[in-house]
Amino acid sequence: MASQSRLFQLSGTCNNYPWGKKGRDSLAARLCEKTPGTDFVINDDEYYSEMWFGDYPDFPGRDLETGQTLAEILKEHKEKLLGAYSIENFGNNLPFLPKILSIGKALPLQIHPNKSLAAKLHEKDPEKFSDSNHKPEIAVALSQFELFAGWRDLGQISAIFNIPSLRRFIPEGSHSWNEETLRSVVRGILKADEQTVQNIEEDLKRQSQEDIEKLGYPSSMFELIRRLQSQYSATDPGLLIAILCMNYLVLEPGEAIFIPADGVHCYLSGDIVECMARSNNMLSGGLCPVADRDNIDLFSETLKIDSSTRVDNLRLPANPSKDGASGHTLVYQPPISEFDMIRIEMTAGTEELIWNHKGPTVAIAVSGEGTIRGDGKELAVKTGFIFFIAAETETMLRADTGMRIYAAVIR
Ligand SMILES: [Zn+2]
């Protein structure tokens, strides 16, 4: 048996959630299709939501040459591939899970539980909550990316709740709003009956644009209400939480956001590269079929409402990084230990030596062509190609055209 290489190409696996983009509109599907030698074919009538390319069993990454799953390979060669640091700190799996998402319509309004809640939920219902780990995540825009994330300023939220139809949600005796006022308001909205939700949405649509803007809300609020109503229903309380209480953001390509464990978010449209701690747990509060909504008290109690969920703290800048020797590399550093994300931007004819990292790396080329050298071999890099690079392994990239690569690394 040939010895296990420290650098090899992976294939990813696409899934088909109904919020994905259809057929070739889906970047996730188009990138997935570029990997040669797989039997993946894009069907024009199918929705393609995500391509996963980690070691998670649901939609596994595989060694392109052998077809073996990344999970199986890591099990056999963990010291060589994951390295001592990663094993000691995060165990015998890849500590992170990278994905490409193509979002055609809103995903559920969601949070990913913290470690201690995840452990409890996993013990109680391992089928639904498959992991005892937390799941902070980052999302980097590959196209324009629209989302709701974190909470608006409490002053702004309290002002809009002076609209008569909304006053009923303010807990009695509240003078100035604090974090618990907001929590109570969210719980109240999620528990409101369908007719009440619908009436409030209609009432909001009747407000004047000028009044809404005076309160600090965008004039696009009216369009957003209509869009979410058409994507889900006019009786979905998640719509009101998103519109009234959360930040509405539009990120340009290369801009990123960090969602902490228990941080509220709802992605609306666009293509992104996403990476998260290795977990697949989610609690949803709305913008999904009624049957998919989780327990309202659990959802509202778990919500993180503090300074870390303010918009300024969610935005994740790309800073120049010394991970590459020739200055073509930027880094996104979320405040977690499981991974950072690097972005390598090269012009035709340039080279970039990527220094070795103390843990494993998974990289995807989102545009361009070139080569990658490491562990004594050279592989072609093309748009959509995915690579696993072992801990403590240096690689040399050469770009034949403009080339952009995203990689999850442990620094
Ligand atoms: Zn999420």
Side-chain angles (χ1 to χ4, degrees), residues 110 112 137 265 274:
Q110 60 190 267
H112 305 299
E137 68 188 26
H265 57 291
E274 198 186 42

Side-chain angles (χ1 to χ4, degrees), residues 25 45 65 87 89 158 175 250 260 288 311 361:
D25 285 346
D45 300 324
E65 236 177 84
I87 294 171
N89 288 280
S158 66
H175 298 293
V250 182
C288 57
V311 66
T361 294

Side-chain angles (χ1 to χ4, degrees), residues 107-108 110-112 135 137 259 263 265 267 274 276 282:
L107 273 73
Q110 60 190 267
I111 55 174
H112 305 299
K135 187 188 161 187
E137 68 188 26
I259 309 288
H265 57 291
Y267 297 161
E274 198 186 42
M276 60 211 63
M282 175 177 93

Side-chain angles (χ1 to χ4, degrees), residues 15 17-21 48-50 99 101-112 135 137 139 145-148 227-228 231-232 236 238-239 242 246 265-270 272 274 276 282-289 292:
N15 59 36
Y17 301 133
W19 52 257
K21 290 190 187 174
Y48 297 93
S49 42
E50 304 175 317
K99 305 174 181 176
L101 268 64
S102 285
I103 303 157
K105 71 170 194 174
L107 273 73
L109 176 76
Q110 60 190 267
I111 55 174
H112 305 299
K135 187 188 161 187
E137 68 188 26
F145 169 41
E146 234 187 335
L147 70 157
F148 290 106
R227 186 164 19 136
L228 290 173
Q231 290 179 354
Y232 290 94
D236 191 319
L239 186 156
M246 293 170 65
H265 57 291
C266 170
Y267 297 161
L268 285 179
S269 72
I272 60 175
E274 198 186 42
M276 60 211 63
M282 175 177 93
L283 291 173
S284 42
L287 295 173
C288 57
D292 294 350

